[in-house]
Amino acid sequence: VSNMDSDHHIASVFNELLRNEIDDASLSRLLNVLENNVSSDSHRASVLKKVIQHNTLGLASFPAYMSALKDIDSDQHKADVFKTLARQNLNQTQLKQVLQATESIDSDYHKSESLLSFASKVRDADSEVKDAYVAACKDIDSESHFGRALKGIH
Protein backbone atom coordinates (compact mmCIF):
# COMPACT_ATOMS: atom_id res chain seq x y z
CA VAL A 1 0.00 0.00 0.00
CA SER A 2 2.77 2.45 0.86
CA ASN A 3 4.03 2.14 -2.74
CA MET A 4 0.74 3.37 -4.17
CA ASP A 5 0.53 6.99 -5.32
CA SER A 6 -3.22 7.57 -5.27
CA ASP A 7 -4.99 8.44 -2.01
CA HIS A 8 -8.17 7.10 -3.57
CA HIS A 9 -6.64 3.68 -4.26
CA ILE A 10 -4.99 3.47 -0.83
CA ALA A 11 -8.29 4.38 0.84
CA SER A 12 -10.08 1.75 -1.26
CA VAL A 13 -7.64 -0.94 -0.12
CA PHE A 14 -8.03 0.17 3.52
CA ASN A 15 -11.81 0.19 3.27
CA GLU A 16 -11.71 -3.35 1.92
CA LEU A 17 -9.42 -4.47 4.75
CA LEU A 18 -11.68 -2.80 7.30
CA ARG A 19 -14.77 -4.82 6.44
CA ASN A 20 -13.82 -7.10 9.32
CA GLU A 21 -12.38 -6.60 12.77
CA ILE A 22 -8.59 -6.31 12.89
CA ASP A 23 -6.39 -7.01 15.92
CA ASP A 24 -5.15 -3.92 17.76
CA ALA A 25 -1.48 -4.15 16.73
CA SER A 26 -2.37 -4.57 13.04
CA LEU A 27 -4.87 -1.74 13.27
CA SER A 28 -2.20 0.50 14.76
CA ARG A 29 0.16 -0.29 11.86
CA LEU A 30 -2.60 0.36 9.33
CA LEU A 31 -3.34 3.74 10.94
CA ASN A 32 0.34 4.68 10.81
CA VAL A 33 0.43 3.82 7.11
CA LEU A 34 -2.72 5.90 6.62
CA GLU A 35 -1.19 8.89 8.38
CA ASN A 36 2.04 8.70 6.42
CA ASN A 37 0.59 7.97 2.98
CA VAL A 38 -2.86 9.55 2.63
CA SER A 39 -2.81 13.33 2.45
CA SER A 40 -6.38 13.83 1.22
CA ASP A 41 -8.57 14.95 4.12
CA SER A 42 -11.70 13.37 2.67
CA HIS A 43 -10.05 9.98 2.06
CA ARG A 44 -8.35 9.98 5.47
CA ALA A 45 -11.62 10.91 7.22
CA SER A 46 -13.48 8.23 5.29
CA VAL A 47 -11.03 5.54 6.41
CA LEU A 48 -11.02 6.77 10.02
CA LYS A 49 -14.81 6.59 10.16
CA LYS A 50 -14.70 3.08 8.68
CA VAL A 51 -12.09 1.97 11.25
CA ILE A 52 -14.44 2.53 14.17
CA GLN A 53 -17.41 0.87 12.50
CA HIS A 54 -15.85 -2.57 12.91
CA ASN A 55 -13.08 -2.10 15.47
CA THR A 56 -12.59 -1.12 19.07
CA LEU A 57 -9.67 1.21 19.57
CA GLY A 58 -7.20 -0.38 21.98
CA LEU A 59 -3.97 0.61 23.68
CA ALA A 60 -1.93 0.49 20.47
CA SER A 61 -4.48 1.76 17.97
CA PHE A 62 -6.04 4.65 19.93
CA PRO A 63 -2.92 6.89 19.86
CA ALA A 64 -2.36 6.07 16.18
CA TYR A 65 -6.01 6.90 15.45
CA MET A 66 -5.80 10.23 17.26
CA SER A 67 -2.56 11.13 15.48
CA ALA A 68 -4.11 10.44 12.06
CA LEU A 69 -7.18 12.45 13.06
CA LYS A 70 -5.24 15.50 14.26
CA ASP A 71 -3.41 15.72 10.92
CA ILE A 72 -6.63 16.34 8.98
CA ASP A 73 -6.58 19.99 7.89
CA SER A 74 -10.24 20.38 6.99
CA ASP A 75 -12.30 21.31 10.05
CA GLN A 76 -15.42 19.84 8.46
CA HIS A 77 -13.82 16.44 7.79
CA LYS A 78 -12.19 16.45 11.21
CA ALA A 79 -15.52 17.28 12.90
CA ASP A 80 -17.22 14.47 10.97
CA VAL A 81 -14.69 12.01 12.38
CA PHE A 82 -15.10 13.38 15.91
CA LYS A 83 -18.88 13.00 15.63
CA THR A 84 -18.47 9.39 14.51
CA LEU A 85 -16.01 8.78 17.33
CA ALA A 86 -18.57 10.16 19.82
CA ARG A 87 -20.79 7.14 19.11
CA GLN A 88 -18.05 4.78 20.32
CA ASN A 89 -17.62 3.38 23.79
CA LEU A 90 -14.61 5.33 25.10
CA ASN A 91 -13.09 5.04 28.54
CA GLN A 92 -12.57 8.17 30.66
CA THR A 93 -8.92 8.57 29.63
CA GLN A 94 -9.72 8.25 25.94
CA LEU A 95 -12.64 10.66 26.26
CA LYS A 96 -10.41 13.25 27.93
CA GLN A 97 -7.78 12.86 25.19
CA VAL A 98 -10.42 13.21 22.47
CA LEU A 99 -11.79 16.39 24.05
CA GLN A 100 -8.28 17.82 24.27
CA ALA A 101 -7.72 16.94 20.61
CA THR A 102 -10.61 19.18 19.54
CA GLU A 103 -8.19 22.08 20.03
CA SER A 104 -6.94 21.25 16.53
CA ILE A 105 -10.28 22.44 15.09
CA ASP A 106 -10.08 26.14 14.16
CA SER A 107 -13.71 26.74 13.24
CA ASP A 108 -15.89 27.71 16.22
CA TYR A 109 -18.91 26.07 14.59
CA HIS A 110 -17.19 22.74 13.92
CA LYS A 111 -15.49 22.75 17.32
CA SER A 112 -18.78 23.36 19.17
CA GLU A 113 -20.58 20.71 17.09
CA SER A 114 -17.80 18.22 17.78
CA LEU A 115 -17.89 18.93 21.50
CA LEU A 116 -21.67 18.72 21.61
CA SER A 117 -21.50 15.24 20.11
CA PHE A 118 -19.68 14.16 23.31
CA ALA A 119 -21.86 16.12 25.76
CA SER A 120 -24.00 13.18 26.92
CA LYS A 121 -20.86 11.15 27.70
CA VAL A 122 -19.28 14.09 29.50
CA ARG A 123 -22.33 14.61 31.73
CA ASP A 124 -21.83 11.07 33.07
CA ALA A 125 -18.03 11.34 33.32
CA ASP A 126 -15.65 12.24 36.12
CA SER A 127 -14.52 15.78 36.94
CA GLU A 128 -11.30 15.50 34.90
CA VAL A 129 -13.30 14.81 31.74
CA LYS A 130 -15.71 17.65 32.54
CA ASP A 131 -12.75 19.98 33.08
CA ALA A 132 -11.29 18.93 29.71
CA TYR A 133 -14.65 19.68 28.05
CA VAL A 134 -14.86 23.14 29.66
CA ALA A 135 -11.24 23.86 28.70
CA ALA A 136 -12.02 22.91 25.09
CA CYS A 137 -15.07 25.20 25.15
CA LYS A 138 -12.93 28.12 26.34
CA ASP A 139 -11.05 27.90 23.06
CA ILE A 140 -14.24 28.90 21.19
CA ASP A 141 -14.23 32.64 20.36
CA SER A 142 -17.84 32.97 19.25
CA GLU A 143 -20.07 33.67 22.26
CA SER A 144 -23.05 31.87 20.74
CA HIS A 145 -21.08 28.71 19.88
CA PHE A 146 -19.29 28.84 23.25
CA GLY A 147 -22.57 29.13 25.16
CA ARG A 148 -24.22 26.39 23.15
CA ALA A 149 -21.31 23.99 23.70
CA LEU A 150 -21.14 24.75 27.41
CA LYS A 151 -24.89 24.30 27.87
CA GLY A 152 -24.52 20.83 26.39
CA ILE A 153 -23.14 19.44 29.63
CA HIS A 154 -25.48 21.28 32.03
Side-chain angles (χ1 to χ4, degrees):
V1 170
S2 47
N3 293 332
M4 299 172 88
D5 289 334
S6 166
D7 286 352
H8 171 76
H9 293 299
I10 295 171
S12 296
V13 169
F14 283 175
N15 284 326
E16 194 62 36
L17 290 170
L18 292 166
R19 288 180 182 248
N20 299 302
E21 188 173 352
I22 300 173
D23 69 86
D24 195 49
S26 298
L27 184 57
S28 178
R29 286 191 299 277
L30 183 139
L31 289 164
N32 288 327
V33 170
L34 174 72
E35 181 176 12
N36 293 322
N37 294 286
V38 176
S39 58
S40 162
D41 289 342
S42 63
H43 289 301
R44 186 181 292 204
S46 161
V47 171
L48 288 174
K49 289 189 284 187
K50 185 81 169 193
V51 163
I52 53 181
Q53 286 178 355
H54 298 288
N55 295 278
T56 300
L57 298 174
L59 290 174
S61 60
F62 182 77
Y65 188 92
M66 294 307 297
S67 183
L69 171 55
K70 287 180 191 175
D71 281 350
I72 295 175
D73 291 324
S74 162
D75 286 342
Q76 179 179 353
H77 288 300
K78 194 179 290 186
D80 287 345
V81 176
F82 275 114
K83 290 176 198 173
T84 303
L85 190 54
R87 294 190 291 264
Q88 301 306 303
N89 189 16
L90 302 172
N91 65 40
Q92 300 286 299
T93 302
Q94 290 173 326
L95 184 54
K96 182 179 171 187
Q97 290 172 354
V98 169
L99 294 171
Q100 291 167 338
T102 62
E103 74 182 20
S104 66
I105 301 174
D106 294 323
S107 160
D108 288 345
Y109 170 77
H110 289 298
K111 184 175 293 195
S112 65
E113 290 296 308
S114 295
L115 289 168
L116 282 167
S117 67
F118 290 95
S120 63
K121 291 179 185 290
V122 171
R123 280 192 296 270
D124 298 332
D126 64 25
S127 62
E128 282 188 34
V129 171
K130 289 177 183 167
D131 290 345
Y133 185 94
V134 171
C137 287
K138 288 181 179 175
D139 198 32
I140 298 172
D141 294 324
S142 162
E143 288 183 23
S144 63
H145 291 302
F146 169 79
R148 191 163 166 259
L150 204 52
K151 277 185 186 175
I153 62 166
H154 295 349

